[in-house]
Amino acid sequence: MRLGSIILFVAFCSLTAYYVYEPIPEEIEERWKLMLTNSFFRSLSHLADISELLGLKDYMGVMYFITLLEKIAPVSDEHVKVTEEKFDGVEVVLYQPKHRGSDTDLRRAIIYLHGGGWCLGSSRMSPYDLLARKVVTELDAVVLSVEYRLAPAHHFPIPYEDVYRVVKHFLQKGVLAQYYVHPGRIAVSGDSAGGNLAAAVTQQLLKEPSQQIQLKAQALIYPVLQALDLYTPSYQQNQYMPILPRTLMVRFWSEYFTSDKAFFRAMMANTHNNPESSSLLKFVNWSAFLPETYHRKYNYSAPAVTEGTVAMDGPSRSLADPRASPLLVPDAALRSLPKAYILTCEYDVLRDDGIMYATRLRAAGVEVTHEHYDTGFHGALMFTVWPTDFLIARRMTDNYIKWLKENL
Ligand SMILES: *[C@@H]1O[C@H](CO)[C@@H](O)[C@H](O)[C@H]1NC(C)=O
Ligand SMILES: *[C@@H]1O[C@H](CO)[C@@H](O)[C@H](O)[C@H]1NC(C)=O
């Protein structure tokens, strides 16, 4: 009896230690809070694996619990009028200031795209709702938060196309007038997968000759920008980092394109490139686009190319599509892009995606503000709500809003 209790107790302790303990770098602030937060994410991820293995519910279906946990019904308050609408058939949550300074003053607008690896998340999650309200009140701006459809139920390009439709619909003289928005002061912004969609939409919009109203700025928060090299120095350095370990990011990428597990395995091994995508590897060459300090410890070798074995079907073709990987466009296509804000975190597999884009945009003559957080981790901006509220999230929010104030 006694021995049984002891065994149980030891098992419990080691299991707890296993979940909580993760080698989190000393530099990160509030490490214990991050360890505990991460143990929740890891437990859920293991539960999701088991559930999929047993055929109960697929992995992303279980992970979606995170979204539900934080989902709220956005309602108007003293300062902000909130409405839920459909723009060209796509759901959006619209935040408008309640008071207007003067009848002739037009407002700025931010089209916001939430993160969650194209598979999770919602504009109705409380951290996004809070951020939208803060932007509305501090900038006296309109925020349009897009509820694009998600993978794996809706693979690429559906999430992207939903966003594009909303942006095209919003950027019409008549629609902007309805919300008192200045046509010359509109930005698109997003975090993580939302940053990917924001960068992609900004590029594609420029290619439309009939598009009269263009975006003034793009603000990308730790964006995902390429699917060709999933073994950049930041992917290597941060592969077990909290919140977004490499496996989860690779899983998001593969689910965005296809539910075929063979593609996921090829992406894990970084052997997923085909002859078409490999001709674009020069655009994501970290040996050329990262500052020396970031790749000193790593030797560059181009990702392997699989000839023939991967059929040139949907997922394989999507790899070379800049609407999925905005880093894949040539310099000429970067030149006339609007000014950019790019936030990157040191402890993030996606760090190098953001840095490479900043480098390439600057080289093409685009005005870039690159804010790098030495103690930052992926997803930090979302952690503004108790009990998972982090000091770094507050700093990031303040700096992000400050940039919008000064540049939009
Ligand atoms: C990447 O850049 C390095 C030089 O920094 C070069 O040696 C290598 O061939 C390049 N690889 C690709 C695929 O462009
Ligand atoms: C990089 O290559 C050099 C020379 O071949 C080798 O000494 C070093 O160990 C390699 N570094 C890594 C991180 O693989």
Side-chain angles (χ1 to χ4, degrees):
M1 187 63 206
R2 230 165 141 195
L3 186 68
S5 323
I6 290 169
I7 289 173
L8 269 181
F9 180 72
V10 169
F12 173 77
C13 286
S14 44
L15 205 67
T16 309
Y18 167 74
Y19 273 117
V20 172
Y21 184 74
E22 190 72 31
I24 295 183
E26 297 283 346
E27 293 78 17
I28 292 186
E29 307 154 38
E30 302 176 279
R31 283 172 79 227
W32 268 100
K33 215 187 241 185
L34 187 58
M35 280 186 194
L36 288 170
T37 308
N38 192 42
S39 73
F40 168 75
F41 278 85
R42 286 177 69 209
S43 315
L44 189 66
S45 172
H46 285 140
L47 205 66
D49 273 329
I50 293 166
S51 162
E52 183 165 290
L53 207 67
L54 298 178
L56 298 173
K57 202 172 176 67
D58 63 285
Y59 180 87
M60 286 303 170
V62 177
M63 292 302 276
Y64 195 75
F65 179 68
I66 298 172
T67 310
L68 296 179
L69 208 63
E70 298 205 280
K71 219 166 169 175
I72 49 146
V75 289
S76 300
D77 63 28
E78 196 186 336
H79 307 289
V80 187
K81 177 181 162 192
V82 186
T83 52
E84 299 177 69
E85 325 215 349
K86 274 199 172 169
F87 275 17
D88 196 12
V90 181
E91 281 181 51
V92 297
V93 183
L94 194 69
Y95 297 82
Q96 300 174 71
K98 265 199 177 155
H99 313 287
R100 284 195 67 208
S102 98
D103 285 347
T104 49
D105 280 353
L106 290 178
R107 295 160 171 155
R108 298 177 270 195
I110 292 105
I111 302 166
Y112 198 87
L113 312 167
H114 70 80
W118 310 279
C119 297
L120 313 174
S122 162
S123 51
R124 296 184 179 94
M125 282 168 84
S126 55
Y128 291 120
D129 180 68
L130 282 174
L131 181 64
R133 285 171 204 275
K134 209 167 156 72
V135 171
V136 169
T137 48
E138 292 202 20
L139 270 83
D140 188 36
V142 170
V143 171
L144 183 65
S145 202
V146 185
E147 196 72 341
Y148 55 88
R149 285 172 291 171
L150 301 175
H154 304 283
H155 292 300
F156 175 81
I158 291 174
Y160 162 81
E161 280 172 348
D162 279 0
V163 172
Y164 199 60
R165 286 222 307 280
V166 168
V167 173
K168 291 267 291 176
H169 178 85
F170 190 57
L171 297 187
Q172 298 180 86
K173 268 202 183 117
V175 178
L176 295 177
Q178 206 180 321
Y179 303 108
Y180 311 105
V181 170
H182 193 303
R185 302 183 79 183
I186 304 161
V188 68
S189 182
D191 58 301
S192 197
N196 166 281
L197 296 165
V201 162
T202 309
Q203 287 181 1
Q204 299 302 316
L205 207 61
L206 268 187
K207 297 199 331 200
E208 295 231 13
S210 60
Q211 184 64 38
Q212 290 179 342
I213 301 171
Q214 287 285 347
L215 298 162
K216 185 179 183 186
Q218 52 178 329
L220 317 175
I221 299 161
Y222 34 73
V224 197
L225 295 166
Q226 56 90 25
L228 300 198
D229 192 349
L230 304 178
Y231 214 55
T232 60
S234 61
Y235 266 105
Q236 295 181 53
Q237 176 190 299
N238 303 308
Q239 60 178 316
Y240 303 115
M241 218 34 86
I243 315 303
L244 188 66
R246 180 171 182 267
T247 328
L248 183 57
M249 189 57 235
V250 172
R251 189 127 198 183
F252 282 144
W253 261 127
S254 69
E255 298 271 6
Y256 191 28
F257 293 149
T258 174
S259 296
D260 179 357
K261 291 286 177 287
F263 201 68
F264 167 72
R265 286 191 294 271
M267 280 188 141
M268 277 304 285
N270 214 30
T271 56
H272 56 292
N273 279 280
N274 56 57
E276 190 192 0
S277 68
S278 73
S279 69
L280 303 173
L281 280 170
K282 57 177 185 282
F283 295 133
V284 298
N285 187 344
W286 54 260
S287 164
F289 300 128
L290 291 185
E292 166 82 17
T293 44
Y294 284 113
H295 61 79
R296 202 179 295 137
K297 283 189 288 185
Y298 305 92
N299 290 328
Y300 182 80
S301 70
V305 182
T306 312
E307 307 260 357
T309 53
V310 181
M312 282 304 291
D313 57 358
S316 210
R317 179 146 302 140
S318 305
L319 263 184
D321 194 326
R323 295 175 306 163
S325 295
L327 258 171
L328 301 186
V329 299
D331 293 351
L334 297 175
R335 240 165 256 151
S336 26
L337 286 174
K339 62 179 154 187
Y341 170 87
I342 300 178
L343 185 160
T344 56
C345 292
E346 178 62 23
Y347 300 107
D348 180 359
V349 288
L350 300 174
R351 179 196 72 194
D352 296 346
D353 281 23
I355 298 178
M356 286 196 281
Y357 204 41
T359 306
R360 290 200 54 208
L361 286 172
R362 267 192 194 131
V366 177
E367 191 185 326
V368 179
T369 304
H370 177 202
E371 233 160 44
H372 181 72
Y373 288 82
D374 284 324
T375 61
F377 55 91
H378 190 81
L381 188 85
M382 286 287 288
F383 293 107
T384 50
V385 184
W386 187 87
T388 53
D389 52 327
F390 286 80
L391 292 168
I392 195 167
R394 218 175 299 165
R395 291 206 302 276
M396 279 182 180
T397 309
D398 290 347
N399 291 338
Y400 164 73
I401 290 179
K402 181 164 176 276
W403 186 85
L404 287 174
K405 263 188 192 158
E406 291 166 1
N407 291 278
L408 182 60

